[in-house]
Amino acid sequence: YDVIAGLLQGNTAGHVLLGVLVVKAVIWSVSLGSGTSGGVLAPLLMMGAALGGVESSFLPVEGAGFRPLVSLGAILGGTMRSPLTGIVFALELTHDINMLLPLVVAVTIAHGFTVLVLRRSILAEKMARRGFHLGEERNLRLVVYRMAESGLTRFPVVSRHGHQLVGMIALTDLLKGRALTLDGEQRRERVLGTRIWLPFRSRPVQ
């Protein structure tokens, strides 16, 4: 994090910037490819700030830490598919509200690019490679359709290659899952719908 702070302050030499960007990217790619957990946030911040520092060497000067901060937020928000997190995190590092508009533009472009190019975010890809798919509600939807078409209420669940019986899924299982989802939605509505009483108002506001 000391390196990240130095990159944002714009006092890092050009060859160091290039070295951090290339070496960290290679090590990080190998680490992710090996299936290890953790180590996602800090490398993204370091590579983003280093990329911004390299850009500052040939793009118009907008301030010492302008491009490192914008690149940091863009890489964080785009790669992890969390644009709001990228913007808020970058603002929290500097407390410079004047950077809000450049960050919003950069993070939005980065997010749109990764949505078009990458099938999943980095974290979702790591989960998918371990067999956990965030889009499994579409598999479940297919089961519901087949139950409706066939009139059956139980289906066997087989392995990916279809050679081994893994278990059984029944209509009651689908209903339990839906009930849990509805319960979570109702809890959120109760929290968001809580009335706030203000001392200077005669009536509560929603």
Side-chain angles (χ1 to χ4, degrees):
Y1 288 97
D2 292 337
V3 175
I4 296 173
L7 294 171
L8 292 177
Q9 293 171 4
N11 55 10
T12 306
H15 66 279
V16 176
L17 291 173
L18 188 60
V20 168
L21 180 60
V22 173
V23 174
K24 194 64 179 178
V26 171
I27 295 175
W28 188 58
S29 300
V30 173
S31 177
L32 287 179
S34 67
T36 185
S37 298
V40 175
L41 181 60
L44 281 177
L45 300 179
M46 188 175 296
M47 289 186 292
L51 178 62
V54 173
E55 294 170 350
S56 299
S57 63
F58 59 87
L59 291 178
V61 178
E62 298 290 344
F66 178 84
R67 299 197 185 281
L69 183 63
V70 170
S71 297
L72 178 150
I75 285 188
L76 179 62
T79 307
M80 298 186 68
R81 298 279 181 88
S82 52
L84 184 60
T85 300
I87 295 171
V88 173
F89 196 95
L91 289 177
E92 190 175 0
L93 286 176
T94 60
H95 301 284
D96 187 0
I97 196 64
N98 295 322
M99 292 297 298
L100 177 60
L101 181 59
L103 283 170
V104 169
V105 174
V107 172
T108 301
I109 293 174
H111 180 258
F113 178 79
T114 54
V115 167
L116 295 175
V117 175
L118 300 177
R119 184 178 178 183
R120 307 181 184 92
S121 68
I122 288 180
L123 299 181
E125 181 65 28
K126 292 174 67 175
M127 294 178 63
R129 292 185 179 184
R130 295 183 178 185
F132 302 99
H133 298 278
L134 300 181
E136 288 183 351
E137 65 276 2
R138 292 177 293 182
N139 302 337
L140 295 180
R141 189 178 297 116
L142 178 62
V143 173
V144 172
Y145 291 158
R146 291 189 177 178
M147 285 183 177
E149 293 173 354
S150 64
L152 301 176
T153 58
R154 287 172 62 88
F155 278 98
V157 180
V158 297
S159 62
R160 186 177 299 273
H161 301 291
H163 301 307
Q164 183 180 0
L165 179 65
V166 178
M168 298 291 294
I169 183 169
L171 180 60
T172 54
D173 299 322
L174 300 177
L175 294 177
K176 289 178 182 178
R178 183 55 180 166
L180 291 175
T181 301
L182 290 175
D183 182 66
E185 293 176 354
Q186 292 172 357
R187 289 175 182 272
R188 286 192 295 270
E189 290 178 358
R190 285 197 294 268
V191 173
L192 295 176
T194 302
R195 294 186 173 186
I196 302 175
W197 290 86
L198 299 179
F200 52 85
R201 287 184 179 268
S202 58
R203 292 183 302 173
V205 294
Q206 193 73 20

